[in-house]
């Protein structure tokens, strides 16, 4: 077995193990969270998450895989300038799509509650907490795709574990604090659900900060590769945006609409 294949298997195994640990932590922390926020709070939490997931799919779902695929192809051909351009354009795409989705969810939370969840009072509260999370996760996905495109799964694995651990801790603590702070409010359950969704936001932000720091450490090495790159072919940003969209959209359709 070649060194490249061996490294890929090792990194893939690390990512798979991290995924299993993330799922285990996710199942375990939900038990005390549900006990804290109650069945009504859990219902609001689940409803808010359904809306969040839909917005996330529409705004940023296919980006990590698209970036990974496109960056991998450029690194394999040692076209580092093209890889950097894809990374930059993907970040711009994430900022725009994630930002728009976050604004729609934040300012449209009341409308969503009134029209689609008439029987679920207070869902707008956790939705507004989840809104900036869409923006964070969109950028986070591009960062993870950038590393995965270089066949380095460790940053993704570590960031996923850090994200879930922080998510679990903040969800439980914030849920407890908010439930007790607003226990006399008519929307006490909604505030408890908001505490749970706050964990999602803080966890994603923690993972993003970790990957940004890692990129700042790696950046001088990447810049050297770009400077010595003689193989890249010049492309306009418009062409790159089209390429990202052409790679991203089929992934979204295949995973969520065709099957």
């Amino acid at each position: 077995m070649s060194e490249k294949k061996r490294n890929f298997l090792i990194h893939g195994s690390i990512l798979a193990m991290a995924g299993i640990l993330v799922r285990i932590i996710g199942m375990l922390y939900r038990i005390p969270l549900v006990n804290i926020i109650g069945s009504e709070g859990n219902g609001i939490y689940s409803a808010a998450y359904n809306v969040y997931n839909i917005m996330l799919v529409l705004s940023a779902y296919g980006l990590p895989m698209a970036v990974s695929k496109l960056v991998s192809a450029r690194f394999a051909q040692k076209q580092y300038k093209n890889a950097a351009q894809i990374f930059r354009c993907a970040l711009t795409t994430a900022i725009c799509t994630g930002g728009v989705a976050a604004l729609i969810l934040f300012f449209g939370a009341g409308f969503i509650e009134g029209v689609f969840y008439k029987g679920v009072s207070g869902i707008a509260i956790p939705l507004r907490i989840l809104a900036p999370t869409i923006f964070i996760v969109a950028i986070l996905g591009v960062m993870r795709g950038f590393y995965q495109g270089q066949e380095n799964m460790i940053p993704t694995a570590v960031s996923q574990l850090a994200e879930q651990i922080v998510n679990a801790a903040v969800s439980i603590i914030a849920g407890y604090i908010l439930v007790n702070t607003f226990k006399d409010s008519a929307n006490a359950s909604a505030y408890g659900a908001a505490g749970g969704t706050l964990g999602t936001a803080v966890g994603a932000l923690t993972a993003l900060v970790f990957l940004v720091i890692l990129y700042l450490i790696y950046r001088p090495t990447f810049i050297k590769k770009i400077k010595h790159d003689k193989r890249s072919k010049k492309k306009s940003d418009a062409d790159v945006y089209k390429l990202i969209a052409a790679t991203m959209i089929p992934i979204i359709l295949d995973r969520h609409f065709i099957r």
Side-chain angles (χ1 to χ4, degrees):
M1 187 183 297
S2 68
E3 187 68 24
K4 187 176 180 180
K5 287 184 178 179
R6 188 180 296 111
N7 287 337
F8 181 79
L9 286 174
I10 292 171
H11 282 250
S13 299
I14 291 171
L15 187 59
M17 288 177 65
I20 293 169
L21 287 173
V22 164
R23 287 180 179 273
I24 292 172
I25 295 169
M27 288 187 293
L28 291 176
Y29 92 84
R30 284 297 301 272
I31 298 170
L33 180 62
V34 171
N35 289 331
I36 290 168
I37 66 177
S39 58
E40 185 178 347
N42 187 53
I44 295 171
Y45 177 91
S46 298
Y49 245 93
N50 287 338
V51 178
Y52 165 76
N53 283 329
I54 291 170
M55 296 298 289
L56 198 60
V57 166
L58 295 175
S59 64
Y61 176 81
L63 267 175
M65 199 175 296
V67 172
S68 175
K69 183 177 180 180
L70 295 172
V71 167
S72 176
R74 272 64 188 176
F75 264 78
Q77 298 171 4
K78 297 184 178 181
Q79 296 178 357
Y80 303 115
K81 289 179 183 176
N82 289 153
Q85 187 182 21
I86 286 168
F87 180 52
R88 175 173 54 80
C89 290
L91 278 176
T92 303
T93 302
I95 290 168
C96 292
T97 59
V100 169
L103 290 171
I104 291 172
L105 188 59
F106 185 86
F107 291 105
F111 174 80
I112 293 169
E113 178 183 332
V115 175
F116 298 102
Y117 291 93
K118 291 180 181 179
V120 186
S121 177
I123 191 176
I125 298 170
L127 280 179
R128 290 193 178 100
I129 299 293
L130 282 170
T133 312
I134 295 176
F135 178 72
I136 295 168
V137 170
I139 299 172
L140 179 61
V142 173
M143 298 294 295
R144 284 173 173 164
F146 177 67
Y147 290 113
Q148 290 174 23
Q150 298 172 60
E151 297 183 357
N152 185 357
M153 308 299 174
I154 294 175
T156 296
V158 174
S159 69
Q160 284 180 342
L161 279 173
E163 179 182 3
Q164 189 69 309
I165 291 169
V166 172
N167 178 16
V170 174
S171 293
I172 293 169
I173 294 169
Y176 178 82
I177 292 172
L178 289 176
V179 162
N180 285 280
T181 301
F182 295 96
K183 61 184 178 182
D184 297 325
S185 169
N187 288 322
S189 297
Y191 281 107
T197 58
L198 182 62
T200 306
V202 178
L205 183 60
T206 301
L208 180 59
V209 169
F210 168 73
L211 291 181
V212 168
I213 292 171
L214 206 62
Y215 174 74
L216 292 175
I217 295 170
Y218 169 69
R219 191 170 183 273
T221 302
F222 189 40
I223 293 297
K224 285 181 182 178
K225 290 181 177 180
I226 291 171
K227 286 181 178 178
H228 292 93
D229 176 16
K230 305 294 183 183
R231 299 187 179 186
S232 288
K233 299 175 182 178
K234 191 173 181 179
K235 289 188 176 182
S236 68
D237 283 355
D239 288 336
V240 175
Y241 285 123
K242 289 176 184 176
L243 182 62
I244 291 171
T247 309
M248 177 181 168
I249 292 172
I251 293 170
I252 297 172
L253 293 175
D254 180 58
R255 294 296 178 91
H256 292 278
F257 296 99
I258 295 176
R259 293 181 182 181

